[in-house]
Amino acid sequence: MLIRCLAVGTGGFVGSVLRYLLSQIPVKGINYPINTLITNVIGAVIIGIVISYADKTGMQPEKLLLLKT
């Protein structure tokens, strides 16, 4: 249980830092939070790829939690 909590915490930390960094990229001329939209779409695609890969390879649950978070 502790390992799973650490995996989720680590994944959350890395993910939140990456989300913050992406939000700092300046986009001029658009009055819409396009960075948030792009971040969410990219994240959804990456999670889909990770889950598909995990199903094919039998990835460890802790590693899957880390990558999904």
Side-chain angles (χ1 to χ4, degrees):
M1 180 65 135
L2 179 62
I3 296 297
R4 290 184 179 193
C5 288
L6 289 173
V8 170
T10 303
F13 171 75
V14 172
S16 63
V17 169
L18 289 174
R19 180 177 290 267
Y20 171 74
L21 291 174
L22 282 174
S23 73
Q24 297 304 304
I25 297 172
V27 178
K28 297 189 188 245
I30 298 178
N31 207 14
Y32 184 78
I34 194 76
N35 292 358
T36 302
L37 177 66
I38 292 170
T39 302
N40 288 338
V41 169
I42 290 171
V45 169
I46 290 172
I47 288 172
I49 292 168
V50 166
I51 291 173
S52 175
Y53 178 77
D55 282 345
K56 291 178 184 175
T57 62
M59 186 182 293
Q60 295 175 347
E62 292 80 11
K63 187 174 180 181
L64 182 59
L65 277 174
L66 173 77
L67 294 175
K68 285 190 329 187
T69 306

